[in-house]
Amino acid sequence: MEITNVMEYEKIAKEKLPKMVYDYYASGAEDQWTLQENRNAFSRILFRPRILIDVSNIDVSTTVLGFNISMPIMIAPTAMQKMAHPDGELATARATSAAGTIMTLSSWATCSVEEVASTGPGIRFFQLYVYKDRNVVRQLVKRAEEAGFKAIALTVDTPRLGRRESDIKNRFELPRGLTLKNFEGLDLGKIVKTDDSGLASYVAGQVDKSLSWKDITWLQSITSLPILVKGVITAEDARIAVEYGAAGIIVSNHGARQLDYVPATIMALEEVVKAVEGRIPVFLDGGVRRGTDVFKALALGASGVFVGRPTLFSLAADGEAGVRKMLQMLRDEFELTMALSGCRSLREISRNHIKTDWDTPHYLPAKL
């Protein structure tokens, strides 16, 4: 079957993957309302395209934290990619590098930071969970730095793991032969079967519930890498993140896997963008499946987007080639959206290119 859009990879992945693995990747928390809403909210934003603009040359390139990348579409951190494909994160790293964009490696990857670095050059960020044992964190951050990673994406929405009912039903565990490679030498690399979700038990035992804003200062004291705060969805927290010297914010609800009934990230984005007042860049993840979604996020003030599940499903379907094609399709759709909206560069994408269902209709003509 010829793949013509990113969503089609999910169907193939569902057929190929064991139920426990597919459910782990695909599911959200509790009623999964936010999981649906992350997608549905994009459909409530419509375009206001401008016409008769010369769009024979379109530039989709941008810079993120001073790094030049080919497009504002990057890879979000997703855990345990060897469950999807034997090459796991190595395939994702090669595909992302070939596309000229940024990969974020999960703390809970099935390949280590060193293994990912060994795939060759590329701009890579490291997603960090803060463990109770701070020496583990210190060691991990140092290893990421030494392996050439360029930023830390600090996940701040997971003091405890959200209730993912399919993982409980499936008694989720890391399949035989796989480990959380970054923790292997620390005896923290295994997720075993419990009478609950094995991952929930692991998080309860290892991840620091006391994490607070002062720990961003601590993190800054142990690394010179810029710190992106991942998991902000309110103006209040956005302002505090700026005060604490965050290099950027990722508006994220953890793929709708933590607290259900939070807004879709695309709905929370503008509030966060307005709160930071241009002082630091704001990014978005959650629900991006089309180039049109990327354009909508940028029109609402995002500097770029990260994609998670599309990476896992395209990897499951066709390994490195799948991830390459997924990124290319999003890029092509985004470029087409720009052309049809009358935008030749990211600078030209503005709030006036979209209308949302929460807008005041300032641009509608007066009644005749």
Side-chain angles (χ1 to χ4, degrees), residues 79-367:
M80 309 173 218
Q81 293 182 13
K82 279 193 175 180
M83 296 195 305
H85 188 276
D87 294 340
E89 291 84 0
L90 304 183
T92 303
R94 288 191 289 261
T96 311
S97 189
T101 190
I102 292 167
M103 173 186 180
T104 316
L105 183 71
S106 170
S107 274
W108 296 337
T110 39
C111 298
S112 67
V113 288
E114 293 84 3
E115 288 170 326
V116 168
S118 76
T119 61
I123 305 157
R124 301 184 184 109
F125 295 171
F126 182 70
Q127 175 271 331
L128 180 68
Y129 285 113
V130 175
Y131 279 48
K132 291 172 184 173
D133 182 344
R134 292 304 169 90
N135 285 325
V136 168
V137 180
R138 208 178 255 111
Q139 212 175 316
L140 205 50
V141 168
K142 187 171 186 289
R143 282 171 58 198
E145 263 188 83
E146 286 173 356
F149 284 67
K150 302 300 185 195
I152 300 293
L154 175 67
T155 294
V156 295
D157 57 11
T158 312
R160 295 173 55 176
L161 203 70
R163 185 175 171 82
R164 305 165 193 176
E165 293 176 5
S166 58
D167 290 349
I168 299 167
K169 284 190 171 72
N170 294 331
R171 300 283 186 264
F172 176 80
E173 62 180 330
L174 198 51
R176 195 189 305 277
L178 297 182
T179 59
L180 303 182
K181 261 299 193 345
N182 289 314
F183 299 97
E184 205 174 32
L186 303 160
D187 273 352
L188 297 168
K190 294 265 192 284
I191 294 174
V192 295
K193 187 166 263 189
T194 63
D195 58 3
D196 188 4
S197 153
L199 185 62
S201 304
Y202 179 87
V203 169
Q206 301 302 336
V207 172
D208 192 349
K209 294 183 195 61
S210 76
L211 190 71
S212 67
W213 287 107
K214 70 180 186 317
D215 293 303
I216 292 184
T217 308
W218 173 77
L219 203 53
Q220 287 161 337
S221 78
I222 66 162
T223 182
S224 58
L225 294 178
I227 296 162
L228 298 170
V229 180
K230 177 181 182 288
V232 172
I233 54 172
T234 64
E236 296 91 326
D237 284 336
R239 287 187 201 101
I240 300 171
V242 173
E243 282 164 28
Y244 274 86
I249 284 170
I250 303 172
V251 175
S252 174
N253 53 36
H254 210 114
R257 294 158 75 79
Q258 284 299 101
L259 181 62
D260 201 11
Y261 297 99
V262 294
T265 48
I266 194 69
M267 300 295 277
L269 175 62
E270 199 165 28
E271 173 182 328
V272 171
V273 167
K274 284 178 175 165
V276 306
E277 298 175 319
R279 289 172 290 180
I280 56 174
V282 176
F283 305 95
L284 171 136
D285 71 24
V288 174
R289 299 293 181 273
R290 286 277 190 191
T292 50
D293 301 335
V294 181
F295 187 101
K296 289 170 184 179
L298 268 59
L300 286 166
S303 292
V305 303
F306 290 86
V307 292
R309 288 185 182 90
T311 307
L312 295 166
F313 296 143
S314 59
L315 180 66
D318 198 18
E320 180 186 339
V323 180
R324 278 190 190 222
K325 180 160 185 182
M326 178 273 292
L327 285 168
Q328 188 63 49
M329 282 192 294
L330 286 176
R331 183 197 169 112
D332 290 346
E333 289 179 6
F334 175 57
E335 193 178 314
L336 179 61
T337 306
M338 284 178 66
L340 297 178
S341 297
C343 298
R344 293 161 294 198
S345 68
L346 270 49
R347 273 191 319 278
E348 293 185 348
I349 300 174
S350 76
R351 185 64 170 79
N352 289 329
H353 285 100
I354 56 165
K355 57 181 173 183
T356 66
D357 57 4
W358 63 89
D359 277 338
T360 47
H362 60 276
Y363 48 76
L364 292 179
K367 282 199 179 103

